[in-house]
């Protein structure tokens, strides 16, 4: 498709350099440059987030469960089950992160990054489910207001649920932002939402004590609707990543960094897409026809370095060197 024309005329040296470069045969006509980045440390970080989240939620669940048995509160018992189940939602994501750290195979030549986005669909589905449960429960409470027999204990259990979920949310969202994983951020959003749901029990207790039984369902419905809104936004983000999409401003950042050298005439055929929590991109560097192969290679390497500097989640970066005369003949 693209060939590199060097002015030096040292054909043999050029071919040797190309085949070394690309690991291809002598007749390769690609002046390409690829660097594969496997974020192994990311996996270790997410493993600890997964383990800590699970332990915190399991302990909370045991505490809430014992108070539920003691006070006879059914909603507290279901909250306890919910928390232990949520501790396990990290499992598919953790598996996806472990897969993403694996080397590409013959069956998966682009690697295993997309499994994370599949896990993201599952996680966002659970947020929708959480919102649905919260709305249905609040609807029921409109007609059957709750009576709290042990308001003190229920208050303690609800505060514990809030603090535990908020701690897990903080851990997951921070790790998600650091590693570029929106699925992990979504998992954190889920915990945050559940924390606030736990907190609404306090409104129920306060309403019940002061004789306002409708406070609880009204707050529950407002919360349920805002959770639906969060879930829709997460769905849009996960959908973008799953469908090989990218935020357009990211393309501009890459283009600006790649073209930041006076030797580069243009950057063309720029593409980028999310694969799990890393961004793969490829582009052509249009260079002067008179430039030597070695200089062209160096420009390619420097362009890759500049792109990696501005793109913390860069995965594969493929740079194709194109002489200006050829670039003019083919559409950008
Ligand atoms: Zn939940």
């Amino acid at each position: 498709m693209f060939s590199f024309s060097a002015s030096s005329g040292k054909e043999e040296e050029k071919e040797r350099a190309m085949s070394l470069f690309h690991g291809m045969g002598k007749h390769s006509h690609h002046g390409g440059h690829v660097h594969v980045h496997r974020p192994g440390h990311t996996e270790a970080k997410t493993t600890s987030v997964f383990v800590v989240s699970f332990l915190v939620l399991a302990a909370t669940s045991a505490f809430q469960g014992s108070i539920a048995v003691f006070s006879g509160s059914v909603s507290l018992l279901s909250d306890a089950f919910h928390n232990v189940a949520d501790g396990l939602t990290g499992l598919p994501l953790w598996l996806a992160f472990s897969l993403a750290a694996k080397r590409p195979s013959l069956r998966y030549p682009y690697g295993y990054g997309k499994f994370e986005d599949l896990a993201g669909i599952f996680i966002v589905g659970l947020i929708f489910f959480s919102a649905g449960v919260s709305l249905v429960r609040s609807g029921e409470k409109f007609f059957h207001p709750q009576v709290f027999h042990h308001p003190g204990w229920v208050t303690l259990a609800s505060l514990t649920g809030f603090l535990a979920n908020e701690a897990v949310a903080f851990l997951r969202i921070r790790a998600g932002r650091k590693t570029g994983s929106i699925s992990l951020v979504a998992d954190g959003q889920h915990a945050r939402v559940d924390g606030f749901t736990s907190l609404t029990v306090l409104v129920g207790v306060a309403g019940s004590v002061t004789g306002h039984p409708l406070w609880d369902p009204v707050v529950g419905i407002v919360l349920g609707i805002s959770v639906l809104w969060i879930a829709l936004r997460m769905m849009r983000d996960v959908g973008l990543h799953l469908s090989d999409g990218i935020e357009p401003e990211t393309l501009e950042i890459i283009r600006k960094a790649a073209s930041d050298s006076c030797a580069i005439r243009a950057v063309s055929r720029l593409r980028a897409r999310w694969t799990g929590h890393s961004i793969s991109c490829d582009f052509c560097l249009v260079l002067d026809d008179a430039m030597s192969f070695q200089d062209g290679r160096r420009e390619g390497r420097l362009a890759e370095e500049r792109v990696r500097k501005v793109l913390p989640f860069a995965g594969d970066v493929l740079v194709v060197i194109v002489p200006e005369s050829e670039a003019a003949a083919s559409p950008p």
Side-chain angles (χ1 to χ4, degrees):
M1 186 168 53
F2 305 105
S3 67
F4 185 87
S5 50
S7 61
S8 61
K10 291 180 188 165
E11 281 302 315
E12 238 188 82
E13 191 191 324
K14 194 179 98 187
E15 285 285 345
R16 200 174 58 237
M18 272 181 170
S19 52
L20 274 176
F21 207 45
H22 227 55
M24 287 179 172
K26 201 173 182 283
H27 300 289
S28 160
H29 292 288
H30 294 70
H33 186 180
V34 66
H35 180 93
V36 179
H37 165 75
R38 303 264 147 243
H41 59 284
T42 308
E43 191 201 343
K45 215 181 292 166
T46 48
T47 302
S48 63
V49 168
F50 168 70
V51 171
V52 171
S53 299
F54 177 74
L55 290 178
V56 167
L57 289 173
T60 309
S61 161
F63 179 68
Q64 287 179 325
S66 53
I67 293 181
V69 169
F70 163 70
S71 69
S73 161
V74 179
S75 69
L76 201 51
L77 192 66
S78 74
D79 213 28
F81 277 120
H82 185 151
N83 277 327
V84 78
D86 280 355
L88 292 171
T89 61
L91 192 61
L93 198 52
W94 174 73
L95 282 174
F97 266 85
S98 312
L99 271 177
K102 275 176 63 166
R103 298 202 138 276
S105 63
L106 285 175
R107 190 174 285 274
Y108 290 98
Y110 288 99
Y112 296 82
K114 285 279 171 195
F115 281 93
E116 186 186 325
D117 299 322
L118 284 179
I121 292 282
F122 172 73
I123 288 162
V124 173
L126 283 178
I127 305 181
F128 274 113
F129 183 73
S130 254
V133 167
S134 162
L135 284 172
V136 168
R137 262 206 217 158
S138 302
E140 281 172 356
K141 282 183 205 159
F142 251 120
F143 304 104
H144 310 286
Q146 253 186 316
V147 184
F148 296 92
H149 298 293
H150 300 275
W153 283 112
V154 173
T155 299
L156 184 64
S158 110
L159 276 176
T160 311
F162 169 70
L163 290 176
N165 273 294
E166 185 55 31
V168 167
F170 175 78
L171 277 179
R172 286 177 176 170
I173 291 174
R174 193 185 59 171
R177 297 239 160 95
K178 255 188 199 161
T179 56
S181 166
I182 52 157
S183 303
L184 197 52
V185 170
D187 214 15
Q189 297 276 23
H190 178 173
R192 178 153 287 164
V193 158
D194 285 348
F196 280 100
T197 307
S198 276
L199 209 55
T200 59
V201 176
L202 283 188
V203 179
V205 172
S208 155
V209 168
T210 58
H212 299 91
L214 288 187
W215 283 5
D216 189 5
V218 167
V219 170
I221 285 169
V222 170
L223 191 79
I225 291 170
S226 55
V227 173
L228 275 182
W229 175 245
I230 290 172
L232 280 172
R233 280 181 41 192
M234 297 306 315
M235 197 67 181
R236 185 197 60 190
D237 290 353
V238 171
L240 179 82
H241 288 213
L242 199 63
S243 330
D244 281 349
I246 192 84
E247 297 76 9
E249 54 273 23
T250 304
L251 279 188
E252 271 325 294
I253 290 171
I254 298 172
R255 186 187 300 280
K256 217 174 147 220
S259 58
D260 192 20
S261 157
C262 48
I264 294 166
R265 295 294 155 92
V267 170
S268 65
R269 300 190 179 212
L270 169 61
R271 300 187 302 185
R273 59 176 177 156
W274 279 101
T275 305
H277 55 276
S278 70
I279 297 173
S280 303
C281 69
D282 46 72
F283 52 86
C284 296
L285 277 190
V286 180
L287 299 172
D288 194 297
D289 283 11
M291 190 178 277
S292 75
F293 177 69
Q294 277 74 16
D295 287 348
R297 253 186 75 173
R298 207 192 56 235
E299 283 300 330
R301 207 171 45 238
L302 291 174
E304 185 199 330
E305 277 171 19
R306 288 195 300 273
V307 167
R308 288 192 182 281
K309 212 173 259 174
V310 294
L311 210 64
F313 309 129
D316 297 352
V317 176
L318 177 71
V319 185
V320 178
I321 309 293
V322 195
E324 205 173 10
S325 57
E326 195 181 311
S330 64

